[in-house]
Amino acid sequence: MTALVKTADGRTLAVDQSGVPDGIPIILLHGTPGSRVGPAPRPTILYRMGIRLITYDRPGYGLSDRFPGRSVADVAGDVAAIADSLGIERFAVIGRSGGAPHALACAALLPDRTTRLAALVPLAPRYAEGLDWFEGMSRSNVIEYTAAAHGHNALSALLDAVADEVRADPTRLVPALDTDLPEPDRHIVADFGIRRMLATTFAEALRDSAAGWVDDALAFNAPWGFDPARITVPTMLWHGDEDVFSPVGHARWLGRQIPDATVVIQEGAAHFGSLRVLPDVLTWLADR
């Protein structure tokens, strides 16, 4: 069942929970675009792990109110509000793809509440020193982030059209990725269950508009509002070396900034390989 949580500034956030009600709390930050409904392990798997998995729609996605002009750092206040509403003092955080920078923000800005951090196929800050941010990135993402650099109107014109197509056919966005997919991702996305899971989360994310997607991309293209080097909690960064959506150089750069981070680069894996390793990473996060 979806709960609606109020933030201090009066916005509403849509929150789901699965797994063990009194289990080890882990907050999962979804990808871009994405929503609270997935992808995530089945409840039976979470029960065996003893995990209480909490997901929510970032502002502008799904059932959550928009937060125009939000930065990546603003996620920390929303996550704290959700944890407070659920009576949770300390929790682990995990973010995949576009959710990874937001998970990093929680660890940096809520160090007394975050127990462990996992960032799967993360993006690095847009103007990270010493990183060619676009190197190895797919044409579709280069177009998206270039539009973001030109401001809200340019990006909305691009993404609103895609969102309209997804609302008409929720499977539209999944096959649209095929022209950019490396072979490891083609193999994973060929699975019907994975494709259905992705279509479900895309449909929920864009049910009303592309606002959340637009605001994510703008936030990634602007200063994040925190320094990843401030992260001191146990951290795992996972990346496939053939990723073209958030290239592996981003994880390597973050690994050089975050003290004592464990960096796992998997050969022969790409962006959607993060779905395969999610259960193992959740097990690591739950290790007290």
Side-chain angles (χ1 to χ4, degrees):
M1 181 177 295
T2 300
L4 299 179
V5 173
K6 284 289 187 182
T7 63
D9 58 1
R11 291 177 292 109
T12 296
L13 300 171
V15 181
D16 281 4
Q17 297 185 75
S18 57
V20 183
D22 60 350
I24 298 169
I26 299 177
I27 298 177
L28 170 63
L29 288 302
H30 63 71
T32 300
S35 68
R36 71 191 186 283
V37 300
R42 293 189 299 274
T44 53
I45 295 175
L46 297 172
Y47 268 100
R48 288 200 297 269
M49 294 178 173
I51 288 172
R52 178 186 185 183
L53 190 67
I54 300 144
T55 60
Y56 79 101
D57 296 331
R58 275 197 300 282
Y61 286 115
L63 298 175
S64 289
D65 292 339
R66 190 176 189 182
F67 183 1
R70 61 179 166 89
S71 69
V72 174
D74 286 322
V75 72
D78 287 352
V79 165
I82 291 168
D84 290 345
S85 74
L86 299 176
I88 298 171
E89 179 58 32
R90 288 171 58 77
F91 46 82
V93 290
I94 177 171
R96 189 185 70 82
S97 188
H102 295 91
L104 294 169
C106 293
L109 301 174
L110 302 171
D112 295 334
R113 304 191 69 172
T114 304
T115 58
R116 287 191 169 198
L117 158 69
L120 311 182
V121 293
L123 286 168
R126 174 66 181 85
Y127 300 102
E129 185 175 354
L131 174 67
D132 183 343
W133 205 78
F134 286 117
E135 183 180 4
M137 188 175 287
S138 69
R139 180 175 178 272
S140 61
N141 273 20
V142 171
I143 291 172
E144 177 182 328
Y145 291 120
T146 300
H150 287 88
H152 180 275
N153 290 343
L155 186 59
S156 290
L158 175 68
L159 299 184
D160 285 347
V162 178
D164 288 343
E165 294 178 356
V166 172
R167 283 191 292 276
D169 176 9
T171 66
R172 166 67 179 83
L173 194 55
V174 180
L177 296 172
D178 286 352
T179 57
D180 286 329
L181 287 184
E183 185 57 34
D185 276 347
R186 289 178 186 271
H187 179 71
I188 291 175
V189 177
D191 180 272
F192 175 76
I194 295 293
R195 293 176 77 90
R196 182 175 60 183
M197 187 186 304
L198 291 171
T200 298
T201 194
F202 292 151
E204 181 63 15
L206 305 174
R207 60 183 294 161
D208 294 322
S209 74
W213 192 358
V214 169
D215 292 343
D216 265 1
L218 291 172
F220 298 149
N221 207 62
W224 283 7
F226 68 95
D227 183 355
R230 291 179 52 186
I231 296 173
T232 58
V233 305
T235 297
M236 177 190 293
L237 306 172
W238 184 94
H239 224 116
D241 69 345
E242 296 187 33
D243 194 336
V244 297
F245 295 107
S246 50
V248 67
H250 291 233
R252 291 192 171 113
W253 186 91
L254 287 166
R256 294 192 294 270
Q257 310 305 312
I258 301 172
D260 301 321
T262 298
V263 182
V264 179
I265 307 297
Q266 186 168 327
E267 294 183 4
H271 198 71
F272 291 104
S274 58
L275 302 180
R276 293 275 176 86
V277 302
L278 186 54
D280 289 339
V281 176
L282 287 173
T283 298
W284 177 81
L285 288 169
D287 185 357
R288 289 171 167 164

